Amino acid sequence: MIDDLDLGFDEAERGEKGRHRRGFRKRNGGSGGGRGKTFLALLMALVLLGAIGGGAFYGFDRIQNYFVTPDYEGAGAGEITVEIKNGALLADMADALVEADVVKSQKAFVEAAEANSRSKNIQPGTYKLRKQMSAASAVTAMLDLKNKIVNGLTIPEGRTSFNIYKLLSEKTKIPVKDFQTAAKDPEALGVPEWWFKREDGKKVVKSVEGFLYPDTYEIPPKATAESILKLMVDNFLSVTGGMKFADRVQKERGGVSPYEALIVASLAQAEAGNKDDLGKVARVAYNRVYGEFYCNCLEMDVTVNYYLESIGKPTKSSKQMTQSELDDQKNPYNRKLRGMIPTPINNPGKEALEGAMDPPVGKWFFFVAIDKQGHSAFAETPEQHERNKGKAREAGII
């Protein structure tokens, strides 16, 4: 109790402290002597609190935060850009905004977003916001697309990494060499090591080819070659993870690894003239390499073109290719090479991935385009294939 404190009373009072204190307890603050001591003790306590000043108020502020959500007031001031990453939850968005001092606390932003039914429409991307905004103002600003910095770039399906680097360089002004350097270590870009495992006994060649998922990307203003490629790899992992691509390939494709299936998806993306045929072309690739095809080779000209592009030479149509180019023994993507090629030859989209993961049942070894919409006719025997080629000639395709 306060009146038990030794607050510096004179000796006379000390001499009678037993009587006074016992009387105080009995009276519970009754007569004037007790009230005087209590007043003096309270006064001294206030002086002591004043002496520690800021520390006491700091402690009070911390306690207050347990009951009151820390939040700024108003629309804020100045300007700052904040990136909201793909797949970010409200808490992730709040963390980015707190770090940039846009909002005062994670709790304030989450509560404001939950109170706004439109907050689910907040998109990933880079936003132009103000510092020290109220959480409600920040939510409103992020729902206004005028505040979203649009710097989008669409990567079409089936583009090679070489072509993608050029597209990215044109958009961002980052040199192609920077992308080439960043791509030298696919695992550093986020490709898990297990993706490069093969079941066909072939030497593993680690390449980012196949992992740069085709999509429309918002390129952050301060992006680097490495951060952009990481974004694309992360998107690939998200899409294939959602499809359970690796799991299904291992369970359903009979000894074919996910990486080999990714190669097949890239072949289908390159060869199929119509999305309806993606799965059938994938089946042809599997049949040729792992089935009873005469050479167990792919015998696809698109693999030759990939090699030409990789060494800086122009690609060609099948008619333009010379015999030496078609059968170059130095070419690791030689169309007559037994077994599967070293890497994917482009970056396939979701439908091509689905086709390689779950191709239709068929014993086809051959196919040829037969109309101007890119549809192909598929055959099991060379004789059937010749008849289909006749249809293609009649349609003016070949």
Side-chain angles (χ1 to χ4, degrees):
M1 294 177 65
I2 292 176
D3 62 325
D4 282 332
L5 294 172
D6 184 358
L7 297 177
F9 299 120
D10 60 28
E11 289 301 319
E13 288 177 303
R14 289 181 185 279
E16 298 182 359
K17 66 181 178 180
R19 180 172 60 82
H20 279 290
R21 286 180 179 172
R22 285 193 296 275
F24 181 80
R25 289 192 182 101
K26 288 178 182 178
R27 291 192 301 270
N28 195 25
S31 69
R35 286 194 299 271
K37 286 184 178 182
T38 301
F39 173 77
L40 187 58
L42 287 169
L43 180 62
M44 292 298 291
L46 288 171
V47 170
L48 287 170
L49 285 173
I52 61 176
F57 287 111
Y58 173 71
F60 173 75
D61 186 58
R62 290 188 66 185
I63 294 170
Q64 185 186 40
N65 287 348
Y66 286 105
F67 303 99
V68 179
T69 301
D71 197 1
Y72 292 126
E73 294 183 2
E79 188 176 287
I80 190 169
T81 58
V82 179
E83 181 188 359
I84 301 300
K85 296 184 177 179
N86 281 326
L89 303 175
L90 286 178
D92 301 319
M93 296 180 192
D95 288 341
L97 294 171
V98 169
E99 185 177 352
D101 197 25
V102 172
V103 300
K104 194 169 187 179
S105 69
Q106 184 195 71
K107 185 179 179 185
F109 179 80
V110 171
E111 288 179 353
E114 289 177 344
N116 189 324
S117 61
R118 292 181 57 237
S119 65
K120 62 181 180 295
N121 296 324
I122 296 176
Q123 304 170 3
T126 303
Y127 290 84
K128 191 165 49 178
L129 302 170
R130 295 182 175 184
K131 285 198 170 188
Q132 300 188 355
M133 307 175 75
S134 71
S137 295
V139 171
T140 301
M142 293 173 74
L143 287 168
D144 186 348
L145 293 181
K146 292 179 182 176
N147 295 317
K148 191 167 185 283
I149 299 173
V150 179
N151 191 25
L153 173 63
T154 298
I155 303 297
E157 297 168 341
R159 295 297 179 95
T160 65
S161 59
F162 317 117
N163 185 264
I164 289 174
Y165 302 153
K166 291 177 183 177
L167 291 175
L168 291 171
S169 181
E170 290 169 3
K171 180 69 176 181
T172 64
K173 308 308 177 187
I174 298 172
V176 168
K177 285 185 178 179
D178 288 8
F179 290 102
Q180 293 171 335
T181 300
K184 287 180 179 179
D185 188 350
E187 290 178 38
L189 296 176
V191 182
E193 188 274 337
W194 61 261
W195 258 104
F196 295 108
K197 292 181 180 178
R198 301 183 68 128
E199 300 294 340
D200 60 358
K202 289 291 189 76
K203 180 182 177 182
V204 173
V205 178
K206 295 183 179 181
S207 169
V208 79
E209 197 74 75
F211 297 100
L212 303 177
Y213 189 73
D215 204 343
T216 297
Y217 292 90
E218 291 291 333
I219 309 297
K222 296 181 181 180
T224 63
E226 185 178 10
S227 68
I228 294 170
L229 297 186
K230 279 183 176 180
L231 182 66
M232 299 178 76
V233 168
D234 185 62
N235 198 10
F236 169 88
L237 296 175
S238 177
V239 171
T240 53
M243 296 168 58
K244 299 189 182 301
F245 181 87
D247 291 339
R248 288 193 59 186
V249 167
Q250 288 173 317
K251 289 177 182 178
E252 301 171 19
R253 296 280 61 81
V256 174
S257 74
Y259 191 57
E260 292 163 64
L262 178 60
I263 295 172
V264 169
S266 75
L267 292 166
Q269 189 75 74
E271 285 281 6
N274 189 288
K275 66 179 182 179
D276 297 337
D277 293 334
L278 286 165
K280 286 186 175 182
V281 175
R283 173 58 71 184
V284 169
Y286 285 129
N287 289 346
R288 288 185 179 182
V289 173
Y290 305 110
E292 297 179 358
F293 196 50
Y294 78 99
C295 64
N296 285 127
C297 62
L298 284 168
E299 214 170 53
M300 294 180 179
D301 296 347
V302 290
T303 64
V304 177
N305 263 331
Y306 182 74
Y307 175 67
L308 292 175
E309 190 173 357
S310 72
I311 60 175
K313 292 186 176 182
T315 58
K316 298 180 177 183
S317 67
S318 298
K319 290 179 180 179
Q320 294 173 324
M321 289 182 184
T322 66
Q323 202 61 43
S324 61
E325 288 171 334
L326 288 170
D327 299 323
D328 182 1
Q329 295 302 308
K330 294 180 181 179
N331 176 6
Y333 296 85
N334 188 311
R335 67 192 188 118
K336 295 286 188 180
L337 183 74
R338 187 177 181 83
M340 194 56 70
I341 54 177
T343 71
I345 60 169
N346 59 46
N347 295 274
K350 187 175 184 180
E351 290 175 316
L353 290 165
E354 288 172 341
M357 177 181 70
D358 186 24
V361 176
K363 297 181 180 180
W364 312 294
F365 287 123
F366 309 96
F367 63 96
V368 62
I370 57 170
D371 63 32
K372 293 183 179 179
Q373 287 72 47
H375 292 99
S376 292
F378 293 79
E380 296 180 18
T381 67
E383 293 76 23
Q384 291 173 345
H385 184 49
E386 286 301 320
R387 287 196 292 272
N388 290 335
K389 286 167 71 175
K391 294 177 185 179
R393 291 189 191 95
E394 289 175 10
I397 306 300
I398 60 174

